Amino acid sequence: MLIQLNAVSRFYQMGNNQIAALNRISCTVASGEFVAVMGPSGSGKSTLLNVLGCLHKPSTGEYFLENVDIEKTSDHDLAEIRNRKIGFVFQSFNLFPYMTALQNVQVPLIYMGYPKKQRARKANMALDMVGLKGRSNHRPGELSGGQQQRVAIARALVGNPLLLLADEPTGNLDSASGHEIMTLFSELNKEGTAIIMVTHQRSISKFTRRIITLEDGRIVRDGPSH
């Protein structure tokens, strides 16, 4: 099992009030699954993604990633897990505007300690994988929104992560570009990459195999996307 959540809660303090962004969530995700997380604004979708991505630890409950208890893991080891096992894709792309596509994709490999030549080779392979082989020397401002998101996906994949987490990855794209990105995600999933994606778009969620729906920090539905 890739992911196991046991009664996970995540609390935030707002003045004198304690708010439960996640409220005793339990679920599992197997290797190679493609899951959409849906729900109204404020339902806990992004908080769940942050917990799964080891950016936040649960306030209570247990989170196991490949049988590793995240709550008991040191900050240093969590950083290693994020670098080597998890890829992140964001709605706003989060690319460095002064870097080329190739340089942007190489950034995670720098933190992993890859030598320069190997970084360039792996980054070029990742750009080729997302259909941007001829755009490696273009900066983000010279690329369309869909192309920028492909660069962001290449950056997320370059370290061969076990898990790809995407937060509204098509939110800033037109429908045609969004469809292209989801087709790419589907292809990556068929090759074995586990993907968990937050989205509010029902049409986008149909590309996934499973939908988890949140309301008020709780899972209210968990089933096949069809």
Side-chain angles (χ1 to χ4, degrees), residues 167-183:
D167 194 355
E168 299 281 6
T170 62
N172 282 338
L173 304 178
D174 59 64
S175 58
S177 297
H179 189 277
E180 290 178 0
I181 293 301
M182 292 311 303
T183 299

Side-chain angles (χ1 to χ4, degrees), residues 181-226:
I181 293 301
M182 292 311 303
T183 299
L184 174 59
F185 275 162
S186 296
E187 292 169 355
L188 294 170
N189 179 247
K190 288 176 183 177
E191 293 172 4
T193 302
I195 303 174
I196 301 176
M197 177 187 69
V198 164
T199 183
H200 68 279
Q201 297 172 285
R202 179 65 60 176
S203 60
I204 292 298
S205 70
K206 292 178 181 178
F207 283 86
T208 68
R209 301 180 186 179
R210 172 183 172 193
I211 299 176
I212 295 174
T213 304
L214 301 181
E215 285 185 13
D216 299 324
R218 297 178 182 270
I219 294 177
V220 295
R221 180 186 179 275
D222 184 354
S225 58
H226 63 270

Side-chain angles (χ1 to χ4, degrees), residues 9 89 99 125 148 190 197 205:
S9 296
V89 179
M99 288 184 176
M125 289 174 60
Q148 289 182 60
K190 288 176 183 177
M197 177 187 69
S205 70

Side-chain angles (χ1 to χ4, degrees), residues 3-219:
I3 287 171
Q4 182 174 345
L5 299 177
N6 298 326
V8 164
S9 296
R10 175 71 184 178
F11 302 113
Y12 294 100
Q13 200 70 31
M14 295 186 67
N16 295 324
N17 298 320
Q18 191 177 62
I19 307 299
L22 298 177
N23 196 342
R24 295 185 60 79
I25 283 183
S26 297
C27 69
T28 60
V29 177
S31 298
E33 278 203 81
F34 192 175
V35 182
V37 179
M38 303 191 72
S41 178
S43 60
K45 302 186 299 296
S46 292
T47 301
L48 176 59
L49 217 63
N50 287 337
V51 169
L52 294 176
C54 301
L55 297 171
H56 296 154
K57 289 185 177 181
S59 300
T60 60
E62 299 174 312
Y63 171 26
F64 293 93
L65 179 63
E66 281 202 310
N67 297 318
V68 174
D69 189 342
I70 295 302
E71 198 278 329
K72 296 178 180 177
T73 304
S74 69
D75 289 343
H76 176 270
D77 288 342
L78 281 182
E80 283 293 303
I81 289 172
R82 286 194 298 270
N83 283 337
R84 298 187 178 275
K85 295 189 176 184
I86 303 172
F88 296 90
V89 179
F90 303 95
Q91 178 179 350
S92 57
F93 316 142
N94 287 3
L95 300 176
F96 294 104
Y98 54 87
M99 288 184 176
T100 64
L102 184 65
Q103 291 168 335
N104 267 287
V105 174
Q106 290 185 67
V107 169
L109 301 177
I110 295 172
Y111 292 106
M112 292 181 189
Y114 281 90
K116 188 174 182 179
K117 287 185 178 179
Q118 196 172 359
R119 292 200 305 264
R121 181 177 61 81
K122 288 179 69 69
N124 273 310
M125 289 174 60
L127 286 170
D128 191 18
M129 186 186 304
V130 301
L132 288 180
K133 187 175 183 179
R135 298 281 183 167
S136 62
N137 291 321
H138 288 67
R139 289 180 171 79
E142 300 169 322
L143 301 171
S144 69
Q147 289 171 335
Q148 289 182 60
Q149 191 61 295
R150 285 173 180 266
V151 174
I153 293 169
R155 180 182 59 190
L157 293 172
V158 73
N160 300 315
L162 296 169
L163 175 63
L164 185 64
L165 299 177
D167 194 355
E168 299 281 6
T170 62
N172 282 338
L173 304 178
D174 59 64
S175 58
S177 297
H179 189 277
E180 290 178 0
I181 293 301
M182 292 311 303
T183 299
L184 174 59
F185 275 162
S186 296
E187 292 169 355
L188 294 170
N189 179 247
K190 288 176 183 177
E191 293 172 4
T193 302
I195 303 174
I196 301 176
M197 177 187 69
V198 164
T199 183
H200 68 279
Q201 297 172 285
R202 179 65 60 176
S203 60
I204 292 298
S205 70
K206 292 178 181 178
F207 283 86
T208 68
R209 301 180 186 179
R210 172 183 172 193
I211 299 176
I212 295 174
T213 304
L214 301 181
E215 285 185 13
D216 299 324
R218 297 178 182 270
I219 294 177

